Amino acid sequence: MATSCPSHTCGTDAEAAKREEAAEELRLKEQLRRIQHKLLVMSGKGGVGKSSVATYMAFGLSQKGYRVGLMDADLHGPSIPKMLGITGMFQVDDQKHLVPVQVNENLQVVSIQCLLEDPDSAVIWRGPIKHGVIRQFVSEVQWGNLDYLIIDCPPGTGDEPLSVAQIIPDVHAVIVTTPQEVALSDVRKSINFCRKAHLPILGLVENMSGLVCPHCGKSVPLFGTEGGRKTAERMNIPFLGSLPFEPRVVEAGDAGMPLEVGSDASGPFLESLNGLLSEVIDKCSPPLPEEKTEAMTSDVTKEVPRMEKDNFKVAIPLANGMLCNHFGHCERFAILTVQNGRIESREERTPPPHEPGVLPRWIAEQGVNLVIAGGMGQRAISLFQERGVQVLTGAPALDPETLVNSYLQGNLVTGANVCDH
């Protein structure tokens, strides 16, 4: 005869589950706070060398002195361990957190392959399980303080890139293509996916742009020419650079020994890669390695002006419950009321359709005195100032209460205005 469990037991289990969920959310936010730049490397189709680009971006940045994490989110076809010569399984620390594989002094790697006893095992998972694994790869891994987290996703616009966009609100996309039209057609879908998912695009990389003849030095356009640059111009996104087809890269990947990247790197591929890395560094604008301190919270910070009164309202643009970097295209606004220097209430409101000048007027009509945002155009900032609304930009992608409490305590860390228009 079946019996039901006592109600007090069910209540205890539910409370324990809520506490664990809250603790996991806190771990995730704390981990993201310690990672300065998050880059999602994606492509519209397979075979464009996306994983090679992700590997060389991470490896190259680490050799330039930046602290880098490389997360292999291609759960069904992980290839990064092979390209970096990684074998064996992960270690686990005393708190049962995964310890990333240390490739060199500045580069750490996490891949599903390092959780499999047999590297040839097939991973057969549906979307919810993949979402949970990607979340754990961020929150349950001891990444430490990073300048860059490079995330390699499988081709297409399916579960993995969507999960990354939801889990890491301030991630930026690096889209990889080859010059031929069949690849460019798919990459345009990736660009539109990013726009619909409110995922900012750092830029487009054209891979396998040509084979440089080792004898005469001329470039042979194996897959066409200039397709990536023209697509970037037509779709109004930054073009980060072209990488030529290089047989040595193929050989190095098979051997698990990537080509050394440095200021004196020679050869068409490495010279082009250095140019690509310079573009990435410039667009992310992190501090120079020699200027960095041990605490990430001191990086690219700026003085945060304080309100002159203890009673005011704060508006924060939201996406998936966290601060949204795209101020003008957010889903909702959280409006928090501060009384006597403490948060008294919170409400969420849906903004009117985005048109120039509409949001500053609408937010001012809600009685808001302060806006905390990731990025905002200078015109919008001026319109807010005209209405007596103070604006803070460069805030991290955290929940509204954490942002406002940090502001009230005088320890809100802000960086550069991330608006790209």
Side-chain angles (χ1 to χ4, degrees):
M1 178 177 177
T3 59
S4 59
C5 61
S7 60
H8 70 274
T9 303
C10 293
T12 301
D13 291 344
E15 291 173 2
K18 286 183 179 180
R19 286 196 297 270
E20 177 58 30
E21 183 178 349
E24 181 184 345
E25 187 67 25
L26 186 62
R27 286 195 299 269
L28 177 65
K29 291 176 182 177
E30 174 61 21
Q31 190 62 270
L32 291 175
R33 185 187 67 80
R34 300 175 68 185
I35 302 171
Q36 191 170 2
H37 299 291
K38 302 93 171 173
L39 303 180
L40 168 61
V41 181
M42 59 183 298
S43 64
K45 68 184 297 295
V48 300
K50 167 190 55 60
S51 294
S52 294
V53 171
T55 298
Y56 273 97
M57 280 179 57
F59 190 68
L61 288 168
S62 74
Q63 289 196 311
K64 289 181 178 293
Y66 296 101
R67 296 167 292 188
V68 185
L70 177 56
M71 188 175 98
D72 189 353
D74 192 342
L75 303 178
H76 298 290
S79 56
I80 283 175
K82 174 66 175 177
M83 288 188 283
L84 290 174
I86 296 172
T87 58
M89 299 184 67
F90 282 122
Q91 300 297 316
V92 179
D93 66 11
D94 295 338
Q95 298 178 329
K96 297 184 178 180
H97 292 162
L98 292 177
V99 179
V101 176
Q102 198 79 34
V103 175
N104 61 32
E105 181 182 1
N106 295 314
L107 178 59
Q108 306 173 78
V109 177
V110 164
S111 173
I112 190 66
Q113 184 167 308
C114 297
L115 291 174
L116 304 175
E117 292 186 4
D118 180 3
D120 294 329
S121 297
V123 175
I124 306 173
W125 288 340
R126 292 185 183 273
I129 298 178
K130 292 190 282 187
H131 181 91
V133 170
I134 291 172
R135 185 181 179 90
Q136 288 180 319
F137 274 4
V138 180
S139 64
E140 300 293 338
V141 171
Q142 294 289 28
W143 290 111
N145 295 329
L146 295 178
D147 297 308
Y148 293 93
L149 177 63
I150 310 294
I151 305 159
D152 180 37
C153 266
T157 55
D159 292 320
E160 290 87 345
L162 184 59
S163 292
V164 171
Q166 292 173 341
I167 294 167
I168 309 177
D170 59 339
V171 69
H172 284 60
V174 175
I175 302 175
V176 181
T177 186
T178 50
Q180 76 266 40
E181 181 55 37
V182 65
L184 295 171
S185 174
D186 287 328
V187 88
R188 289 191 286 269
K189 296 174 185 176
S190 295
I191 294 170
N192 288 325
F193 162 82
C194 291
R195 288 171 174 167
K196 288 182 179 180
H198 303 297
L199 173 59
I201 299 173
L202 191 78
L204 179 70
V205 177
E206 181 185 83
N207 196 26
M208 306 184 205
S209 61
L211 171 65
V212 178
C213 176
H215 303 291
C216 67
K218 293 183 178 180
S219 178
V220 181
L222 298 176
F223 304 110
T225 59
E226 293 292 313
R229 183 184 297 276
K230 292 175 182 176
T231 296
E233 293 173 354
R234 185 160 60 246
M235 301 296 286
N236 195 29
I237 64 172
F239 183 67
L240 298 176
S242 297
L243 296 175
F245 184 88
E246 172 61 76
R248 289 194 303 156
V249 172
V250 179
E251 296 168 2
D254 288 342
M257 299 177 62
L259 302 178
E260 294 291 323
V261 182
S263 58
D264 58 346
S266 61
F269 177 83
L270 292 178
E271 291 171 1
S272 298
L273 178 62
N274 267 323
L276 167 62
L277 295 177
S278 296
E279 284 291 321
V280 170
I281 292 168
D282 182 62
K283 291 192 178 301
C284 291
S285 299
L288 295 173
E290 61 268 20
E291 296 174 349
K292 292 183 293 192
T293 62
E294 185 64 26
M296 286 290 290
T297 54
S298 66
D299 288 346
V300 297
T301 59
K302 58 188 179 185
E303 183 178 354
V304 176
R306 302 299 307 280
M307 296 292 292
E308 296 180 357
K309 52 187 178 181
D310 293 329
N311 303 327
F312 56 93
K313 284 188 175 182
V314 186
I316 298 173
L318 297 180
N320 301 315
M322 309 282 277
L323 178 141
C324 174
N325 281 335
H326 282 248
F327 170 81
H329 300 279
C330 68
E331 303 166 354
R332 306 266 287 171
F333 273 88
I335 298 180
L336 288 78
T337 299
V338 175
Q339 294 286 341
N340 299 319
R342 300 180 61 182
I343 298 175
E344 288 294 324
S345 64
R346 166 183 167 168
E347 57 184 323
E348 290 190 15
R349 297 183 184 176
T350 303
H354 177 57
E355 296 289 344
V358 169
L359 284 180
R361 181 174 66 251
W362 177 77
I363 288 176
E365 290 172 352
Q366 313 307 308
V368 169
N369 311 98
L370 170 67
V371 172
I372 299 178
M376 187 185 302
Q378 190 57 50
R379 175 59 177 160
I381 294 175
S382 299
L383 291 174
F384 274 119
Q385 292 173 342
E386 291 173 5
R387 290 170 171 78
V389 179
Q390 182 176 313
V391 176
L392 292 180
T393 59
L398 300 174
D399 64 274
E401 285 78 9
T402 298
L403 290 168
V404 174
N405 280 324
S406 296
Y407 172 81
L408 293 172
Q409 295 164 12
N411 56 16
L412 176 62
V413 177
T414 59
N417 186 342
V418 299
C419 183
D420 56 4
H421 63 279

